[in-house]
Amino acid sequence: LSVNPRCLNTFGGFPLLRKLHARPSDDPPLPDFKESHMYKHLTQHFFKDMAEYRHFMCSMADMIQQPSTVRTNNARIFISKQGCGKELLFKWASKMIGSDNSYKIQKAKDYFTSDFNADSSGKMLKCFEELAEQGAAYKYADLLKCLIEARKEKVNGKNCPIYWQLCYCVYWMFTNNEHKPLHLEPGDRRYTVHALKCDKAQDASHFNPLWKELEDVRMMMSWFRHLMTMKYDTSEVMHAMKTQAKSNMIQKCFPQPVHFVLRQFEKGWPSQYVSDDGQTVRIPAKDFTELSGTYCCQEGANIKRAVLYSTLKSKMGLEKKQMRFGPKTAMALEFTRDGIQASL
């Protein structure tokens, strides 16, 4: 790396790279990483499809091939129930980049509020163990944005002078909360969200060989060599991937009245209030309110009438207006699905 001679380079490099360089000339060929238990696990039992696997691997390759480049659109949220291999993934990644270059954050609240952070500084990968623990990471969503985009970090160690250092860090978040682990806004460009497969959850016969394989130095060297030489396009690591899990999370972050309208589009509005082309909904406010009440009963929500219409006005630009329905008139709402999506 090219560094200012007046600066101290604290990056210790990659342990597996040193092992590759130290291989004797007569060393037998390394095993094929595609024959590993980990490859089968990641491609068949962890990521939803090969597109998500590819996007993740491009990120790992970029960390190794371009360690001094900050990718601000590469934070990842991994959602699954317990026992699906999230901890295994972090241990594998730590093997790839070196345990000195990775850090596990056990309690999000302590990480954000602690006065001292020397132990977590200078890392390439930081992973929140439970993103939604006590709602801490949800409350600090804006601070997470700043962390993801930071180029420098302030280091404060006990009984040591405070100093600043360059920051080249990728953030991962693990969570078992499938409902709303983090507040994401429409158009978010920082996070890739993975809803993981769980078909092997808590299966010891599946995971025991995987944990044992992490201690196979030659197989880990094979994985590292693959990441070190993997071809990828810059666009693959400069943009967060749009996944269905991310779309679902964004919807769940909407206020309840907005979520009600979006859910009702999925279920279908009463046919008598939908135009012949199926694009426009024109519904009396009385019936609209009754539908929101049904939604509240089904979802355990609590939407008061005043909040319902004030939120629709502020978030979607919808207002009740006098409209004619046959021989009668009534206060009603008129909107289209495309118009709703555009307003959000």
Side-chain angles (χ1 to χ4, degrees):
L1 300 177
S2 176
V3 297
N4 188 321
R6 298 181 61 187
C7 295
L8 174 64
N9 183 8
T10 60
F11 178 56
F14 302 114
L16 286 175
L17 180 60
R18 292 193 290 270
K19 290 182 181 296
L20 282 173
H21 287 165
R23 289 178 66 203
S25 58
D26 59 347
D27 191 44
L30 294 176
D32 184 354
F33 76 95
K34 288 188 176 181
E35 299 297 324
S36 67
H37 295 292
M38 180 60 76
Y39 180 80
K40 180 179 179 181
H41 169 69
L42 294 178
T43 56
Q44 298 182 22
H45 306 293
F46 194 77
F47 290 106
K48 287 291 186 182
D49 52 42
M50 290 302 291
E52 289 193 25
Y53 168 80
R54 166 77 185 179
H55 193 267
F56 171 79
M57 281 300 164
C58 288
S59 173
M60 288 296 303
D62 190 62
M63 290 172 64
I64 291 172
Q65 297 181 30
Q66 302 288 336
S68 62
T69 303
V70 179
R71 307 297 187 184
T72 58
N73 302 334
N74 233 338
R76 295 179 184 273
I77 301 174
F78 298 87
I79 306 173
S80 77
K81 60 185 180 181
Q82 292 183 349
C84 293
K86 298 190 294 292
E87 176 68 15
L88 177 77
L89 184 73
F90 176 75
K91 292 294 185 181
W92 173 85
S94 296
K95 291 282 186 180
M96 294 300 104
I97 63 175
S99 57
D100 289 342
N101 296 321
S102 61
Y103 186 79
K104 175 66 74 66
I105 300 167
Q106 300 292 343
K107 293 186 177 181
K109 184 177 181 180
D110 291 347
Y111 177 79
F112 288 123
T113 59
S114 175
D115 292 331
F116 305 107
N117 67 339
D119 59 333
S120 64
S121 64
K123 307 300 182 184
M124 296 181 65
L125 172 64
K126 294 183 183 180
C127 177
F128 287 89
E129 173 66 27
E130 178 47 65
L131 184 61
E133 176 259 332
Q134 297 181 346
Y138 177 81
K139 291 187 293 184
Y140 292 105
D142 289 336
L143 184 54
L144 270 170
K145 294 178 185 178
C146 297
L147 290 176
I148 291 168
E149 296 184 349
R151 299 299 193 277
K152 294 182 180 180
E153 62 181 344
K154 185 178 182 180
V155 183
N156 187 4
K158 290 184 178 180
N159 303 317
C160 296
I162 295 175
Y163 63 93
W164 289 84
Q165 69 179 13
L166 297 178
C167 175
Y168 307 107
C169 188
V170 170
Y171 288 87
W172 290 358
M173 295 85 175
F174 292 164
T175 182
N176 303 324
N177 182 351
E178 299 180 7
H179 298 289
K180 191 167 63 176
L182 183 69
H183 181 74
L184 295 187
E185 299 174 350
D188 171 80
R189 56 184 177 79
R190 297 176 182 87
Y191 295 95
T192 295
V193 182
H194 300 286
L196 306 177
K197 293 181 180 179
C198 296
D199 57 316
K200 295 293 184 179
Q202 308 289 353
D203 186 346
S205 64
H206 174 74
F207 283 102
N208 287 343
L210 285 163
W211 283 104
K212 184 178 180 180
E213 190 175 72
L214 291 182
E215 304 307 318
D216 184 342
V217 176
R218 292 176 58 79
M219 183 59 78
M220 294 301 103
M221 290 168 64
S222 178
W223 268 107
F224 184 87
R225 184 178 62 182
H226 164 64
L227 295 173
M228 186 175 63
T229 58
M230 178 180 172
K231 302 295 184 182
Y232 62 93
D233 191 88
T234 304
S235 62
E236 295 182 275
V237 295
M238 287 299 294
H239 301 287
M241 186 178 184
K242 296 180 180 179
T243 64
Q244 186 60 49
K246 183 174 183 177
S247 299
N248 294 342
M249 184 183 295
I250 289 174
Q251 281 202 18
K252 291 173 182 177
C253 292
F254 288 139
Q256 287 182 340
V258 177
H259 191 247
F260 153 63
V261 173
L262 296 175
R263 280 291 301 276
Q264 196 61 46
F265 269 114
E266 295 175 2
K267 296 177 63 176
W269 297 91
S271 58
Q272 66 268 33
Y273 301 131
V274 181
S275 62
D276 292 339
D277 60 7
Q279 299 299 312
T280 304
V281 177
R282 193 165 172 268
I283 181 171
K286 179 181 177 182
D287 292 346
F288 187 88
T289 303
E290 289 180 357
L291 284 174
S292 72
T294 302
Y295 164 85
C296 289
C297 292
Q298 294 174 346
E299 300 292 327
N302 181 21
I303 307 177
K304 295 181 180 180
R305 182 178 299 184
V307 174
L308 172 65
Y309 290 102
S310 64
T311 302
L312 294 178
K313 181 178 179 180
S314 63
K315 297 294 184 181
M316 296 180 168
L318 298 182
E319 293 188 73
K320 293 184 289 185
K321 297 179 181 179
Q322 198 77 20
M323 299 182 190
R324 180 169 293 281
F325 294 86
K328 297 182 180 180
T329 61
M331 296 300 291
L333 296 168
E334 184 174 4
F335 48 87
T336 65
R337 184 167 194 159
D338 290 344
I340 294 297
Q341 295 289 356
S343 68
L344 297 175

